[in-house]
């Protein structure tokens, strides 16, 4: 039993894209040393129960409450791991913990807080596809939960026109079925219909599916919330079963 003390800590850890072999040793060791695990229900399910470990699973969209709870527990001496899928700094819990820290009591700044990286879905998907992010790219969250849709449209168009390859998280949900269709329209316009787009679903899980088409043939139904979408730039090409983006662009090779 840990007495309330200054020895508590909060670690915000990434569990990778799904395959347990892709959880880092650093994250495993930290989970082994924890008294409490905090996170969204499906991610907490990935942690094996054991004596001395309390699992606090919560629903989606309560990130700030969850982060505050983690900091409160650490302040009473608990050793808390906040789990995210992929990397905790990519559209996930690390920022939520710092938001809670900023809003909380000043003495929380003295807590032992660390962020441990994980393999983000974008990189796991790119590796399965080949090397679609081999040149400059932008990572964009297509959810309008925390930003207006108009800003997403602006960023999509700007990134496409600037020649960035792109990786999309949270591409399409049931609550906003028309938005991904609109995103595809903007991309066709900004990048050209022949640009390759890959849909990588359940990456590194037994149910993994990868599908690559030209943007002009892409349909909204090809994506859901378990899909990472990667759009190449105009130089991105298919070679056998791989898709890759050359390392040079513009007139760098001439
Ligand atoms: N922090 C996470 C991302 C959270 S946002 C990370 O770094 O990966 C959640 C989105 O990530 C999902 O909607 C989906 O677009 C993507 N995603 C997460 N795991 C995935 C997987 N195994 N396969 C495909 N996409 C995945």
């Amino acid at each position: 039993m840990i007495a309330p003390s200054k020895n508590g800590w909060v670690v915000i850890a990434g569990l990778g894209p799904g395959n347990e072999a892709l959880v880092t040793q650093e994250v495993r060791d930290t989970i082994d040393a924890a008294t409490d695990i905090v996170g969204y229900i499906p991610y907490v399910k990935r942690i094996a129960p054991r004596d001395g470990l309390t699992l606090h699973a919560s629903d989606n969209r309560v990130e700030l409450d969850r982060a505050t709870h983690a900091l409160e527990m650490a302040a009473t001496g608990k050793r808390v791991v906040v789990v995210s899928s992929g990397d905790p700094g990519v559209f996930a819990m690390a920022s939520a913990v710092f938001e809670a820290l900023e809003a909380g009591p000043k003495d929380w700044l003295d807590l032992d807080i660390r962020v441990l990286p994980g393999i983000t879905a974008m990189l796991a998907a790119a590796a399965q596809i080949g090397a679609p992010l081999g040149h400059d790219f932008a990572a964009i969250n297509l959810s309008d939960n925390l930003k207006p849709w108009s800003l997403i449209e602006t960023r999509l168009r700007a990134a496409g026109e600037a020649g960035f390859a792109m990786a999309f998280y949270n591409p399409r949900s049931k609550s906003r079925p028309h938005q991904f269709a609109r995103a595809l329209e903007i991309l066709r316009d900004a990048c050209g219909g022949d640009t390759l787009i890959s849909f990588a679903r359940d990456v590194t899980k037994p149910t993994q599916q990868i599908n690559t088409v030209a943007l002009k043939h892409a349909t909204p139904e090809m994506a859901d919330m378990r899909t990472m979408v990667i759009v190449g730039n105009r130089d991105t090409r298919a070679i056998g079963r791989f898709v890759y983006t050359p390392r040079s662009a513009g007139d760098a090779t001439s």
Side-chain angles (χ1 to χ4, degrees):
M1 181 77 192
I2 311 286
S5 75
K6 60 182 184 335
N7 296 325
W9 42 252
V10 177
V11 170
I12 310 104
L15 297 178
N19 182 333
E20 295 308 315
L22 298 181
V23 181
T24 68
Q25 192 60 49
E26 187 182 41
V27 168
R28 286 175 205 279
D29 292 346
T30 307
I31 289 168
D32 286 347
T35 57
D36 295 82
I37 305 286
V38 173
Y40 177 39
I41 300 158
Y43 308 152
V44 172
K45 273 204 185 119
R46 290 179 56 185
I47 309 299
R50 62 169 161 79
D51 285 349
L53 184 68
T54 308
L55 303 176
H56 308 266
S58 47
D59 208 346
N60 221 349
R61 299 202 179 191
V62 294
E63 287 87 357
L64 209 54
D65 295 344
R66 193 188 288 151
T68 304
H69 184 211
L71 290 162
E72 283 166 356
M73 286 195 289
T76 67
K78 306 273 194 186
R79 301 187 296 274
V80 185
V81 179
V82 180
V83 288
S84 282
S85 75
D87 182 273
V90 179
F91 310 127
M93 284 304 295
S95 291
V97 169
F98 292 117
E99 282 170 30
L101 185 67
E102 199 173 5
K106 279 243 162 350
D107 55 357
W108 279 2
L109 287 170
D110 298 328
L111 287 171
D112 178 3
I113 300 171
R114 282 162 288 149
V115 181
L116 302 186
I119 297 176
T120 189
M122 170 180 76
L123 299 183
Q128 297 292 328
I129 293 163
L133 304 176
H135 198 71
D136 301 342
F137 64 88
I140 303 177
N141 184 347
L142 292 191
S143 166
D144 66 350
N145 186 17
L146 296 167
K147 61 187 167 187
W149 176 254
S150 60
L151 181 61
I152 298 173
E153 287 203 6
T154 303
R155 288 184 176 170
L156 279 179
R157 187 173 295 281
E161 286 174 352
F164 286 105
M166 282 169 262
F168 302 132
Y169 290 79
N170 298 309
R172 180 167 175 263
S173 84
K174 287 195 194 94
S175 61
R176 46 187 174 83
H178 308 302
Q179 290 179 346
F180 189 61
R182 175 72 188 132
L184 289 176
E185 254 175 49
I186 293 168
L187 291 168
R188 275 192 282 268
D189 195 42
C191 310
D194 293 327
T195 299
L196 294 178
I197 180 168
S198 300
F199 298 87
R201 187 168 196 269
D202 283 354
V203 171
T204 77
K205 301 179 189 177
T207 44
Q208 172 175 302
Q209 285 178 323
I210 310 278
N211 178 25
T212 300
V213 297
L215 261 175
K216 63 186 173 204
H217 296 133
T219 62
E221 297 71 34
M222 290 176 175
D224 64 10
M225 288 303 262
R226 285 159 62 179
T227 308
M228 194 70 222
V229 179
I230 298 187
V231 180
N233 65 25
R234 284 178 192 264
D235 299 320
T236 302
R237 58 198 76 174
I239 167 105
R241 63 193 168 84
F242 300 109
V243 171
Y244 85 101
T245 300
R247 291 169 299 144
S248 56
D251 54 9
T253 51
S254 62

